[in-house]
Amino acid sequence: AENEPSWETPCSELFVYVSTPGCDGFPTLDSKESYKLSISKGSMLLSAETVWGALRGLETFSQLVGRDENGTYYINETEIVDFPRFPHRGLLLDTSRHYLPLRAILETLDVMAYNKFNVFHWHIVDDPSFPYESSTFPELSKQGAFNAMTHVYTASDVRTVIEYARLRGIRVIAEFDTPGHTLSWGPGAPGLLTPCYVGEAPSGVYGPINPIVNSTYQFVTSLFQEVSTVFPDFFLHLGGDEVDFTCWKSNPEIRAFMKEMGFGEDYKKLESFYIQRLLHIVSSLGKGYIVWQEVFDNDVKLRPDTIIHVWKENSMQYLNEMANVTRAGYRALLSAPWYLNRISYGQDWIAAYKVEPLNFAGVPEQKALVMGGEACMWGEYVDVTNLTPRLW
Amino acid sequence: SRRTMGRAMGLAGLLLGLVVVPAVLVSTSLRHGAPRTEAEPEPSGWELAADAVPEDSLWPLPQWVRTSPRQLQLAPSRFQLVHGAGSSAGPGCGLLQDAFRRYYEYMFGHSRRRTWGRRPLAARAEPELFQLQVVIEAGDPGCDKHPQLTSSEAYHLTVTEPVAILKAYEVWGALRGLETFSQLVHEDDYGSFLVNESEINDFPRFAHRGVLLDTSRHYLPMKSILTNLDAMAFNKFNVLHWHVVDDQSFPYQSIYFPELSDKGAYSSNLIYTPADVRLVIEYARLRGIRVIPEFDTPGHTQSWGKGQKDLLTPCYSGGQPTGSFGPVNPVWNTTYNFMTMFFKEISSVFPDEFIHLGGDEVDFSCWKSNPEVKEFMKKQGFGTDYAKLESYYVQNIVDIVSSYNKGQMVWQEVFDHKAQLKPDTVVQVWMANNYAHELSSVTGAGFTTVLSAPWYLDYISYGQDWKKYYSVEPLNFPGSEKQKKLVIGGEACLWGEFVDATNLTPRLWPRASAVGERLWSSSNVTNLQDAYKRLTNHRCRMLRYDLVA
């Protein structure tokens, strides 16, 4: 029949050419993910500088392959030159508010690869539960997990996630959020959290990590020593968000310390005191860090290569924050308009799509400090029964 | 009207033994990104606390519950669900036989790690419960019948050693009672099955407790529909309102008009064959659930026009047909010939006494553009009031459907536009704006009504929206006692624009559970903290039964 396409000689091979070696390494913030795809009669070539680019190209190639009504696979002659606009394209999963079984995490990594995400931000512990099995402090998960037998990530699980991610060109950035969001740490680490007071007596309730005792810093050093070894990425996310000062204020020893240090009534200074020591510990372990925006907002002294994670969304205020952070010379990540846990009726993907991360007032050098962003799926109302359809 | 048990038992509100377990509040966690809200009461662990009371797991909450701390033990290898002496139902009652097996499996089957009979019962102090005997009291138990609006769902459950008794007027009450009994049985830390001595007297507050599924905006595979029927049974819902076709697709495979689905379904495999439909109806029947099909006309019918030429109204522009079509054409005789045949089929395929005729959101613009329609309006003296034309159409369909001895359900516009309806027509109130006022009007005019307006579960939003569904009081409208009696119930609607098999179950459950309790339990069961505790336990139980809630 006249209108049938004339198939060219069937293509039998896609040649993948990678110029720099690196199959056994881990992807980094600086990894090149560019690739070229050239499909023509008699030749299909995918060339990339690195294996990470090759992975991106393979995904694209798979999206070009079509199937007609007779079941024949075909591909059009194509030329593609591709590279990511932003080097940090991440997804946050929260395994503390609800435990996510390993298969849910691995499935998420698969779908991330389909969508060319390259960072898995693992918000692994928080107030409600501590599922991370620490070899240095096994009591943390024994006492802090929802169920120490079943709702934990063993060292083997963690290794599985890291390798599964690596094979897809995805970095795993673990977040051990302190000094707030740490209630689940308390049972397995007595003396770590601040005892809150009602009047003269402890109330039995605990608050953020106690910043005034040496044992805290010994603990933090040991824990992050382990975490730095377990997670190979250069960056760790240290959290630092939503620190509630009420408990600190209620504690007489802390009040005494405030006086001693000349902090007055400004508890942000106490928060800074803790964070600065934490950053120092983590730096000496040879890691870089990402922190939530409060750490920047509260004037903590930061290393110049800190990455600030902008998350507060209040009628587009986040653009101002992006401007402020980058004007101060820090690199920035954007999540504020991408809190995917905040569901609403209809095609909300449109609002997420319309976000322009660089839509703030600033010079080009500032804009160049925006590394990318992360879609966040906080777990208050999310578990394995509804994660995938909510996220994708 | 609701049937009560033979002897007058408890009334709403007598909930002896129901203890509100104090909230175990620990967490001061501030939700990341969310506005600061009040701290939620949350159980400290993910299992029932050791001092939990048996009512902590009941959903919906029965009308009258009394439990004692005395526990009885059940041995899965010995425990039996049986017909009791004096029951009008026996082993020939397929519906109950099926239910016995199903509930045995729910109670004991999901604990896969069990090995029966290894350790002798010796050590335990608790006496053993050997049986649950089911006694149906009506002369005709209803085993082979389909449930109806007037069916009795009341039951009386007594759990004492050595044998528990479940009495119900009809099998439908027995199904409800079996669900409740399964909610009383719990496992202790050692894996033993226990149940507290208790007495429950229960019946639904409202007789029509439905869930609407939309299989036109997105096709729902059979598995989805059947799983949903299971979930409905866990929550004592008793009506599946099957909104089977609409503008987007026509998946119902008609026997008389096969072209409707041939041309109107999304694809030839995305249809419901007569066998599929029979399966849905029977699967529902075995769970005491009525299936009310909705064939929505004259609007919402784009997909009908694909397979049925000259059914829809051709739209005009500047004196010429535009090629697009509007609602069903109300002026042609062929329309009513078609509908007569079509509803003959529907009336015989679907056994329920009611058929939902739709009648919502009719867009008049196409009718207004069509010269024949305009001519007809003139002839009928309708002036420019197209609502009259809509009513003319609806009245014809009502007559057709009535001639097949089926009652009709309609969306509220049909009533609002003053169509002449049969006195037993059920009007479904769905428009959210001032629905209380609509309830007054509808019941004031003497029609029975079903409420959906506050329960559009497809309207998702962030956080614990179940609370707002739970807090609805259907009878909160200005009206006499007589009027209030005309509210026969409500329906949770899950429209399908953004729903398919990939997300239906977690979107619908357990949010619809809130509606389920509101429609079954007494009007004074409103405490959110207590509901939270019971609902979380109920949700976990549904997950154990493999429902992805």
Side-chain angles (χ1 to χ4, degrees), chain A residues 189-258:
Chain A
L192 178 68
L193 304 184
T194 311
C196 312
Y197 274 65
V198 167
E200 308 292 309
S203 65
V205 171
Y206 293 87
I209 286 186
N210 193 330
I212 70 174
V213 288
N214 281 336
S215 52
T216 287
Y217 300 101
Q218 281 158 8
F219 171 87
V220 163
T221 303
S222 302
L223 180 67
F224 278 96
Q225 209 149 34
E226 174 187 321
V227 169
S228 302
T229 324
V230 168
F231 292 93
D233 198 83
F234 174 68
F235 285 93
L236 286 176
H237 201 301
L238 304 180
D241 61 312
E242 296 183 314
V243 184
D244 183 358
F245 297 148
T246 352
C247 187
W248 282 352
K249 286 182 184 168
S250 77
N251 183 298
E253 283 174 47
I254 293 197
R255 282 204 303 271
F257 184 81
M258 289 287 286

Side-chain angles (χ1 to χ4, degrees), chain B residues 205-235:
Chain B
R205 179 180 176 202
F206 292 104
H208 182 120
R209 306 178 307 281
V211 168
L212 179 151
L213 287 185
D214 169 0
T215 57
S216 173
R217 274 57 181 263
H218 284 91
Y219 179 79
L220 295 177
M222 286 295 284
K223 180 153 169 242
S224 236
I225 299 179
L226 300 183
T227 300
N228 200 65
L229 287 168
D230 282 328
M232 285 170 66
F234 298 151
N235 293 270

Side-chain angles (χ1 to χ4, degrees), chain A residues 11-27:
Chain A
C11 327
S12 58
E13 283 153 336
L14 171 71
F15 285 105
V16 180
Y17 179 80
V18 176
S19 51
T20 359
C23 294
D24 302 322
F26 285 91

Side-chain angles (χ1 to χ4, degrees), chain B residues 238-259:
Chain B
N238 67 355
V239 173
L240 172 65
H241 173 166
W242 191 353
H243 186 91
V244 53
V245 300
D246 203 298
D247 281 328
Q248 286 84 350
S249 74
F250 196 105
Y252 172 79
Q253 187 175 58
S254 159
I255 304 158
Y256 289 152
F257 301 101
E259 296 268 289

Side-chain angles (χ1 to χ4, degrees), chain B residues 475-493:
Chain B
L475 301 189
N476 234 3
F477 65 90
S480 65
E481 276 313 297
K482 195 152 156 253
Q483 273 176 266
K484 309 247 166 151
K485 287 202 166 70
L486 293 173
V487 178
I488 56 171
E491 287 185 3
C493 298

